[in-house]
Amino acid sequence: MQEQLTQVELPHSPACERNKSFIAEILSLYIEDGGRLLEMGHGTGQHAMFFSSVFPHVQWHAADLVDYHWMLKQRLKLNPRDNVSGPITLEVGAEPMIEQLKKAQQAQAFDYLFTANTLHIMNQKQVDVFCLEVAECLKSQGHLILYGPFKFQDEFTSESNKEFHQSLVSRGVGSGIKEFERLEEQLKDQKIDFVKRFNLPANNQILIFQKR
Ligand SMILES: C[S@@+](CC[C@H](N)C(=O)[O-])C[C@H]1O[C@@H](n2cnc3c(N)ncnc32)[C@H](O)[C@@H]1O
């Protein structure tokens, strides 16, 4: 078992600290005063801790691969939150998302699915599976909110994103910045329509989708 680390010792993503307020501003346009949100790929847990305090009436269900759970658990131990549940084990591609949620007693559809900086880490096959399966996890009218870098019409939004993509590709595990149009088309086939794009600092975007 991992020994309890202090707030300062816990793994910390500086990017999360920089982007959290900008993301919260956009989330507040779509997240109403309540409901159930699934965060896929909570990573260090910093976003879950921050957004659950900004949206105290939203039940924030944080999910990730098992290896990441300890960070959220330790953050919650240091700063307990009534409205954070999890960590839930969720690995797209391992078995159907809905089956993994059922195992975690979370089969009830969510009002929101939020995920930050995950799709460019996942390989294309996993992203295709995500697009196929995510509708089952969302309520009708539920929102899918994607944050991260994306390609539009085959173009990167900056030279630095192009370099980032090349560094991801060089890892050889299929990571890389994903194409908006492919996501849009695949999600549309599952009755999830594109709503709006927001450009955020550091050449990241928020893409809002809504299930019919
Ligand atoms: C760069 S981290 C982002 C973490 C956090 N959301 C953030 O913005 O700092 C990528 C995350 O994607 C998750 N991830 C990678 N492959 C995944 C998959 N197949 N299914 C679900 N999550 C995955 C990782 O476990 C990790 O938490």
Side-chain angles (χ1 to χ4, degrees):
M1 210 172 78
Q2 185 88 31
E3 67 170 298
Q4 177 69 48
L5 303 179
T6 65
Q7 192 70 44
V8 181
E9 290 167 335
L10 274 167
H12 175 264
S13 154
C16 275
E17 294 308 312
R18 287 194 299 269
N19 63 33
K20 65 185 186 183
S21 303
F22 295 105
I23 298 175
E25 209 173 300
I26 309 297
L27 290 181
S28 69
L29 302 175
Y30 294 92
I31 293 189
E32 286 162 22
D33 204 14
R36 301 173 74 243
L37 181 146
L38 176 64
E39 179 187 8
M40 181 179 85
H42 61 62
T44 62
Q46 285 162 260
H47 278 159
M49 298 306 287
F50 180 72
F51 297 137
S52 60
S53 65
V54 175
F55 304 106
H57 302 297
V58 170
Q59 193 62 36
W60 195 277
H61 297 265
D64 208 327
L65 277 58
V66 174
D67 287 354
Y68 288 76
H69 288 184
W70 69 274
M71 291 183 272
L72 178 69
K73 282 186 191 161
Q74 292 213 359
R75 283 206 152 80
L76 284 172
K77 217 168 198 175
L78 293 170
N79 290 295
R81 290 271 197 290
D82 286 343
N83 63 325
V84 178
S85 312
I88 295 169
T89 300
L90 185 63
E91 178 176 1
V92 175
E95 67 177 303
M97 289 172 73
I98 195 71
E99 296 303 325
Q100 297 185 59
L101 293 171
K102 275 183 195 161
K103 280 186 189 164
Q105 319 290 324
Q106 297 297 342
Q108 193 192 335
F110 289 88
D111 299 282
Y112 316 97
L113 191 148
F114 165 74
T115 192
N117 290 318
T118 52
L119 301 193
H120 65 269
I121 301 298
M122 290 156 62
N123 63 39
Q124 187 63 59
K125 192 167 170 225
Q126 289 168 327
V127 174
D128 292 346
V129 168
F130 171 74
C131 291
L132 259 180
E133 296 182 350
V134 67
E136 260 191 306
C137 310
L138 273 177
K139 284 185 187 167
S140 167
Q141 307 301 311
H143 284 97
L144 169 63
I145 303 168
L146 307 177
Y147 170 84
F150 297 92
K151 254 169 102 175
F152 298 87
Q153 297 183 330
D154 215 24
E155 299 277 351
F156 294 100
T157 59
S158 68
E159 199 52 35
S160 61
N161 274 8
K162 188 175 175 182
E163 286 163 17
F164 180 44
H165 174 76
Q166 281 154 356
S167 77
L168 289 166
V169 169
S170 72
R171 294 183 191 173
V173 291
S175 297
I177 294 179
K178 303 298 183 290
E179 287 171 16
F180 162 71
E181 290 77 13
R182 181 169 174 149
L183 290 168
E184 183 190 27
E185 199 181 313
Q186 291 185 324
L187 289 167
K188 197 174 192 160
D189 286 345
Q190 304 306 319
K191 302 188 169 46
I192 298 181
D193 299 315
F194 174 63
V195 175
K196 197 167 165 127
R197 163 184 170 178
F198 293 88
N199 294 327
L200 272 78
N203 301 301
N204 287 303
Q205 285 79 40
I206 287 187
L207 303 177
I208 307 284
F209 295 85
Q210 188 170 26
K211 183 171 163 180
R212 272 171 244 159

